Amino acid sequence: QIQLVESGGRAVQAGDSLTLSCTTSSRTFGSYAMGWFRQAPGKEREFVAIISRSSGSDTIYRESVKGRFTISRDNAKNVVYLQMSNLKPEDTAVYYCARTRRTLPTTEPGLYDVWGQGTQVTVSS
């Protein structure tokens, strides 16, 4: 069974930077689009950033993180990253990475079939 494991979450101050990593043992990692999602207490899970399969040439960002977050992938290492800068208290959430079988990147959580366990990011003001 394919597993995704997130890491890198921690408590930081507003304005700080943080990089999350998501690793997998899947040998076909490069064949799938990947996404980062987050869920704050009492709120629904929402997409943060999506990257296309293979070269990762296509990316999609949530409007509120554009210019602050960068998603990237290293298929040789089976890792997808989320670089976050200028963090704000409203970025506080559990962050999840996920895989979709969809050919084209999608922001819809229901179209992702494999999820990690999540990593907590807490941003204090």
Side-chain angles (χ1 to χ4, degrees):
Q1 184 176 356
I2 295 173
Q3 290 185 320
L4 301 175
V5 180
E6 303 96 334
S7 62
R10 61 183 179 91
V12 297
Q13 297 287 321
D16 284 353
S17 297
L18 197 61
T19 296
L20 305 182
S21 301
C22 173
T23 61
T24 177
S25 59
S26 171
R27 296 180 180 179
T28 58
F29 170 75
S31 301
Y32 299 96
M34 300 293 295
W36 281 98
F37 295 79
R38 67 187 181 187
Q39 188 167 18
K43 296 186 177 181
E44 292 188 354
R45 190 169 299 189
E46 62 186 22
F47 100 94
V48 176
I50 312 296
I51 188 166
S52 60
R53 62 183 182 177
S54 189
S55 66
S57 57
D58 295 325
T59 56
I60 306 172
Y61 293 95
R62 187 172 195 80
E63 190 64 34
S64 61
V65 307
K66 285 182 179 179
R68 300 189 298 122
F69 290 13
T70 301
I71 188 171
S72 62
R73 66 189 303 158
D74 184 337
N75 294 335
K77 297 181 178 179
N78 286 357
V79 181
V80 59
Y81 301 100
L82 184 67
Q83 296 173 279
M84 306 183 291
S85 63
N86 191 21
L87 282 161
K88 304 176 180 181
E90 51 264 42
D91 294 319
T92 295
V94 177
Y95 283 72
Y96 300 89
C97 71
R99 181 197 80 173
T100 180
R101 292 181 178 271
R102 289 279 178 154
T103 301
L104 296 177
T106 174
T107 63
E108 176 54 50
L111 297 178
Y112 285 75
D113 63 337
V114 180
W115 292 79
Q117 82 291 345
T119 186
Q120 176 72 48
V121 174
T122 302
V123 185
S124 57
S125 58

